[in-house]
Amino acid sequence: MQKSLLIIATALTTASCASIPAFQPDTLLPPTPENWSSTADASGEIASQDWVQSLGAPRLATLVDEALAANPGLAQSLARYDAARAGARIAGSSRLPSLSLSSGYTRTEPYQGSGSDSFSLGLSSSWEADLWGRVRDGANAGGLDADAAADDLGAARLSVAGFVAKGWLGLIEARQQSELAQRDVQRSRNSLDLTERRFARGLARSSDVRTARSALASSEAALASRERVETAAARSLETLLGRYPSGQISRDGDFPEIDQLAGVGAPGDLLVRRPDVRAAERRLVAAGLRADAAGKALFPSLTLSGGSGSGGVDVADLFDVDTVISSLTASIAAPIFAGGRLRAQRDQAEANARLQVAAYVSTVLTAWQEAENAIYADDILARRVASLEQAFNEAAEAESLVTRQYSSGVATIFDLLNAQSRRISAESQYISARRDRATNRVDLYLAIAGDFSAAPSADPAAQTGE
């Protein structure tokens, strides 16, 4: 016994003298800039505000709450989060001893003579001493996987809120474009009536009448196209809300007012605020821990096991103290040859860790790109909206002037149709530009992971008790 203990102690001492390398990523992480290249206030005020409420539409907040409670994609993220939490518990269980209870009954029937019965009852336990921290690394990696899944759930909630907001804005635009097309149809009818009256008095040619009829038919075709787009936008939003896509959702009237951009925070804030960046960082650390654990699998392991049992030919013997036998065993196992499997597993784990480094870098750079694009576009789109508003107002005035001139015979039918076409085009572009600016502001909120509140019933994390 003393000789065996001496051998075990010598082996452990020799192994402990070996270095246990910790995985070090060989890819440098990107340096964090202090300021955005696009001009922006870095105070971070809007990031901490409820961006859904800041859009000034109470109905949007209601729609976001509904989507968070019923969106099927979000339900998938919640299920993945629950699975990751269970996986973390599985990984953590390896640090604790295992305990099992067994019982048995055997009936022996010889070829000749009477048979015999035997009963057994046993309790066994086993525990691996975590000498090098390999088991701890695996358990910690499992915990980080669960944390990353929680961040994925947060990213999914933010994404759903953003999709709902942009779908809502798209529905507003589609509705306004349909209303514009309806007004265009009515004005085309008015122009046709005017042309027919002028033709009846001999003030217009038959070709003018046919041209006006052609313009009316084109306007009616444009209206049909706009109505199809509006219904498709309604169905898309209903699907996000978890409803049947009937295309019957009520429409809001106008876009929210977009204020001057200020207080978006600094680039470094995204590394803490954005859930996808946090998830990528945690997966990077988890992969490093698994690489360390795979390297430590090359070292000896110490396992302690014990058991206690009783048995006999009668059931009463199971509870007889004199039949109880106990044992305690300490064993050490050191890998010698496994066909290169352990080293290959270590190399694989380190390659996976390097992959997570690259994934983290890509996630960070994408986050900064999205924020930079949205910040830069905000001012550009504001100027575009202002210019198109002026273009629309001027085109509307020009149309009114040409309409009066056509009524008095000064302008031709082509002058009238041209003025109407310019006004319709300018108004349509103005509507789209307003939608683009509002959508870009939502993209900015998503890029900086702006805060937003939701009804408790719409928060999937509340269902898990987190």
Side-chain angles (χ1 to χ4, degrees):
M1 181 65 178
Q2 292 178 349
K3 183 177 180 180
S4 299
L5 291 177
L6 180 60
I7 293 174
I8 293 174
T10 302
L12 293 178
T13 302
T14 302
S16 64
C17 294
S19 61
I20 303 176
F23 173 76
Q24 297 294 335
D26 55 5
T27 302
L28 297 177
L29 301 182
T32 303
E34 295 183 0
N35 299 299
W36 301 104
S37 61
S38 303
T39 303
D41 180 8
S43 62
E45 295 176 0
I46 66 171
S48 60
Q49 297 173 353
D50 188 329
W51 63 266
V52 174
Q53 296 291 342
S54 71
L55 292 175
R59 184 163 178 270
L60 174 59
T62 301
L63 294 176
V64 169
D65 288 347
E66 182 179 350
L68 294 180
N71 182 267
L74 196 57
Q76 295 177 40
S77 297
L78 177 59
R80 284 191 288 267
Y81 170 55
D82 291 337
R85 293 176 64 208
R89 294 197 300 271
I90 293 172
S93 66
S94 301
R95 305 182 67 178
L96 301 175
S98 63
L99 185 65
S100 60
L101 178 66
S102 62
S103 62
Y105 165 71
T106 304
R107 173 68 181 177
T108 303
E109 291 287 352
Y111 180 72
Q112 293 181 345
S114 59
S116 61
D117 299 322
S118 64
F119 300 87
S120 63
L121 180 66
L123 184 67
S124 61
S125 178
S126 178
W127 176 66
E128 180 182 350
D130 194 15
L131 299 176
W132 324 113
R134 179 181 59 82
V135 178
R136 182 187 65 242
D137 288 344
N140 291 339
L144 286 169
D145 286 341
D147 292 339
D151 287 327
D152 289 339
L153 179 59
R157 295 182 71 246
L158 182 62
S159 178
V160 166
F163 278 126
V164 170
K166 290 190 281 189
W168 170 71
L169 292 170
L171 184 57
I172 292 175
E173 181 197 9
R175 179 57 181 169
Q176 291 190 2
Q177 296 284 10
S178 293
E179 292 173 346
L180 171 61
Q182 290 170 358
R183 294 195 302 271
D184 181 43
V185 168
Q186 185 59 48
R187 291 180 182 178
S188 294
R189 287 174 180 162
N190 295 338
S191 298
L192 176 59
D193 291 341
L194 176 61
T195 303
E196 288 176 339
R197 290 196 303 269
R198 286 173 54 81
F199 175 73
R201 296 197 301 268
L203 300 177
R205 297 170 297 180
S206 61
S207 60
D208 292 346
V209 176
R210 293 187 178 277
T211 301
R213 289 173 181 171
S214 175
L216 174 59
S218 297
S219 297
E220 291 173 338
L223 174 59
S225 178
R226 292 299 187 183
E227 289 175 341
R228 182 184 66 84
V229 172
E230 180 185 358
T231 302
R235 289 198 171 104
S236 178
L237 181 56
E238 287 171 335
T239 302
L240 286 172
L241 301 176
R243 301 184 190 178
Y244 180 83
S246 63
Q248 300 302 314
I249 189 172
S250 59
R251 280 77 161 164
D252 285 271
D254 201 4
F255 297 103
E257 293 295 329
I258 305 299
D259 299 329
Q260 184 70 26
L261 180 62
V264 299
D269 296 341
L270 268 62
L271 306 184
V272 179
R273 294 192 58 86
R274 280 189 54 140
D276 58 336
V277 174
R278 294 199 307 267
E281 181 181 7
R282 283 170 170 148
R283 289 192 172 95
L284 166 61
V285 178
L289 289 173
R290 289 192 172 94
D292 289 346
K296 294 169 184 177
L298 297 168
F299 299 121
S301 61
L302 175 64
T303 303
L304 303 178
S305 59
S308 181
S310 61
V313 297
D314 194 6
V315 175
D317 294 335
L318 298 177
F319 306 99
D320 188 350
V321 177
D322 294 334
T323 65
V324 175
I325 300 176
S326 299
S327 65
L328 177 63
T329 304
S331 61
I332 185 171
I336 297 177
F337 178 75
R341 177 175 57 85
L342 295 178
R343 294 186 183 278
Q345 290 176 340
R346 179 199 59 190
D347 295 342
Q348 182 186 51
E350 291 185 355
N352 287 333
R354 292 194 299 272
L355 183 149
Q356 291 301 327
V357 172
Y360 175 75
V361 172
S362 177
T363 303
V364 170
L365 293 177
T366 300
W368 285 338
Q369 175 193 3
E370 292 173 352
E372 284 281 8
N373 286 343
I375 294 170
Y376 176 77
D378 189 82
D379 180 64
I380 299 295
L381 291 174
R383 286 188 280 140
R384 184 168 183 266
V385 168
S387 297
L388 286 174
E389 182 180 16
Q390 181 181 1
F392 161 60
N393 291 332
E394 295 294 340
E397 291 294 332
E399 180 190 19
S400 299
L401 178 61
V402 174
T403 300
R404 292 193 299 269
Q405 291 174 345
Y406 180 70
S407 300
S408 61
V410 177
T412 67
I413 184 65
F414 296 103
D415 293 331
L416 177 61
L417 295 179
N418 183 57
Q420 290 176 340
S421 177
R422 287 180 177 275
R423 190 267 310 162
I424 293 169
S425 176
E427 185 173 359
S428 177
Q429 292 183 59
Y430 175 55
I431 293 172
S432 296
R434 294 187 66 197
R435 183 266 181 99
D436 289 343
R437 190 185 180 203
T439 298
N440 182 75
R441 182 59 62 90
V442 173
D443 287 336
L444 176 61
Y445 289 133
L446 298 179
I448 64 176
D451 293 335
F452 70 97
S453 60
S457 61
D459 186 356
Q463 303 173 20
T464 66
E466 292 298 308

